[in-house]
Amino acid sequence: MEHMIEEIKWKHLYRKAQLLFFSEWKTLLISMAAIVIYAVGVVGFTIPYKFADQGVMGIAVLLKYTLGLNPAYVLLVLNIILLAWGARTLSKRFLIWTVINAFVLSAVLDILQTINFPIMDDIFLVAVAGGVIKGLGIGLLYREGISAGGLDIAISVLKKRYGMEVGRLSFYFNMVILAVSFSIIGLEKVMYGFISCYICGMTMDSVLASFDKRRLVFIVASNTDAVVEFINKRLGRGCTLLSSEGGYKRRDGFTIMCLLMPRQVVELKRFLAEHFPSSFMVVTEANEVVGKGFKRWRNI
């Protein structure tokens, strides 16, 4: 009996390890792609045009403009300092991934600087494109609950240690960088950099929202079991039955609640229209869903 219990325990641990491995393998692939995308935005659409940037990268590119220092090395040194300062406060997963990504980002930045990116004449288009590219890279990293270092380290540490309103602190920090940039690269380049940073933030939010967005659906049907079976087996989603009572006929029953992808909502509509045309269905947006089958809690 003890042998069987021990065997079951090891099988459970093995399956858990498998799930962890595959989930982190996916995170590795996404983070590598995100870092390359972000680095292209910096090397191809920021540095050649002497735009201002935000966060620790903003400091690195300013030192590039003034002293000719390689931003890859400057960024690496600043990240090491920040990691040494906040290592005890950061979670193990966040710390490990930040260390990995910080070194990879510096390496990719160094490599990409050997490539001659084409120079475009439309500076406004460059600022917009750079913001979109950088926002896409950062958004993918945030989606996995990780970062490539920089100001994210300071924000995480200050939030956990002191409960500070880090959004306002981050804003002030970036405003200081833009103010310093004014005396180095001039007002015009600062404004283009500000536009790029603004679009970067919008793109990042759009990337995060597009991954997390679901449809929250409520259904009242005459045959609850058939609808639940369709949701479970055909759509591959779970659902919750809420005890309810009709306000007009005072009949007891169930209201089905589930979270679906947009295409799954269309399939459910077709099913109800064909088999239960007298049913009621309410669909609303769910901007973020956290839990099993959706966004993982450890990514928060």
Side-chain angles (χ1 to χ4, degrees):
M1 187 66 179
E2 290 182 2
H3 177 72
M4 291 179 61
I5 294 174
E6 190 69 20
E7 185 177 352
I8 293 172
K9 180 181 177 181
W10 279 109
K11 284 183 178 179
H12 174 72
L13 291 173
Y14 176 71
R15 289 173 185 170
K16 191 173 181 180
Q18 279 185 316
L19 291 172
L20 181 62
F21 172 78
F22 285 118
S23 65
E24 294 300 338
W25 182 253
K26 174 189 170 187
T27 300
L28 176 64
L29 294 177
I30 292 176
S31 65
M32 295 302 104
I35 286 171
V36 172
I37 293 170
Y38 175 70
V40 168
V42 173
V43 177
F45 295 84
T46 301
I47 294 177
Y49 304 91
K50 289 192 173 181
F51 289 164
D53 209 335
Q54 58 186 347
V56 175
M57 183 62 76
I59 298 174
V61 297
L62 282 180
L63 291 176
K64 166 73 174 178
Y65 302 152
T66 55
L67 303 177
L69 299 178
N70 190 330
Y73 303 145
V74 173
L75 189 66
L76 182 61
V77 171
L78 292 176
N79 276 328
I80 290 174
I81 294 172
L82 287 169
L83 284 167
W85 168 66
R88 293 184 179 180
T89 306
L90 301 172
S91 66
K92 289 183 179 179
R93 181 177 184 269
F94 185 87
L95 179 62
I96 292 171
W97 277 113
T98 302
V99 170
I100 294 172
N101 291 338
F103 278 94
V104 173
L105 176 58
S106 294
V108 173
L109 285 172
D110 195 34
I111 294 171
L112 289 180
Q113 287 179 84
T114 62
I115 300 174
N116 293 321
F117 287 88
I119 300 298
M120 293 184 283
D121 296 327
D122 192 334
I123 305 300
F124 182 77
L125 179 61
V126 172
V128 173
V132 171
I133 293 171
K134 290 188 289 186
L136 176 60
I138 297 173
L140 289 173
L141 284 174
Y142 284 178
R143 165 63 188 168
E144 294 300 310
I146 57 180
S147 83
L151 197 58
D152 292 337
I153 301 173
I155 287 174
S156 298
V157 173
L158 292 173
K159 187 176 181 179
K160 289 186 177 181
R161 284 185 183 177
Y162 311 109
M164 297 179 65
E165 184 61 42
V166 292
R168 184 177 299 178
L169 184 64
S170 175
F171 173 79
Y172 290 146
F173 181 83
N174 288 322
M175 287 300 102
V176 169
I177 292 177
L178 290 175
V180 174
S181 302
F182 171 73
S183 62
I184 298 173
I185 59 178
L187 179 60
E188 184 178 1
K189 295 296 179 68
V190 168
M191 294 306 296
Y192 280 122
F194 177 79
I195 292 171
S196 183
C197 292
Y198 180 76
I199 294 175
C200 174
M202 291 180 62
T203 304
M204 181 183 69
D205 290 340
S206 298
V207 169
L208 292 172
S210 64
F211 277 102
D212 293 332
K213 190 171 290 185
R214 298 291 187 273
R215 301 289 191 271
L216 177 60
V217 180
F218 294 94
I219 307 153
V220 178
S222 56
N223 191 334
T224 303
D225 293 337
V227 178
V228 169
E229 184 179 4
F230 177 82
I231 294 171
N232 291 338
K233 294 184 178 179
R234 290 287 299 275
L235 301 182
R237 303 304 314 178
C239 58
T240 300
L241 298 179
L242 307 175
S243 297
S244 58
E245 180 183 351
Y248 181 70
K249 295 185 178 180
R250 317 299 291 183
R251 291 179 181 174
D252 294 333
F254 293 100
T255 297
I256 304 169
M257 182 187 77
C258 57
L259 287 153
L260 303 174
M261 299 286 287
R263 62 175 178 79
Q264 294 173 326
V265 173
V266 175
E267 292 183 48
L268 181 57
K269 285 180 180 178
R270 290 173 180 167
F271 172 78
L272 293 175
E274 181 180 353
H275 299 283
F276 305 102
S278 61
S279 61
F280 292 91
M281 180 178 181
V282 178
V283 182
T284 185
E285 292 283 350
N287 291 324
E288 185 176 22
V289 183
V290 184
K292 187 176 181 180
F294 299 98
K295 187 175 182 180
R296 293 171 290 182
W297 282 106
R298 67 178 181 176
N299 288 359
I300 302 300

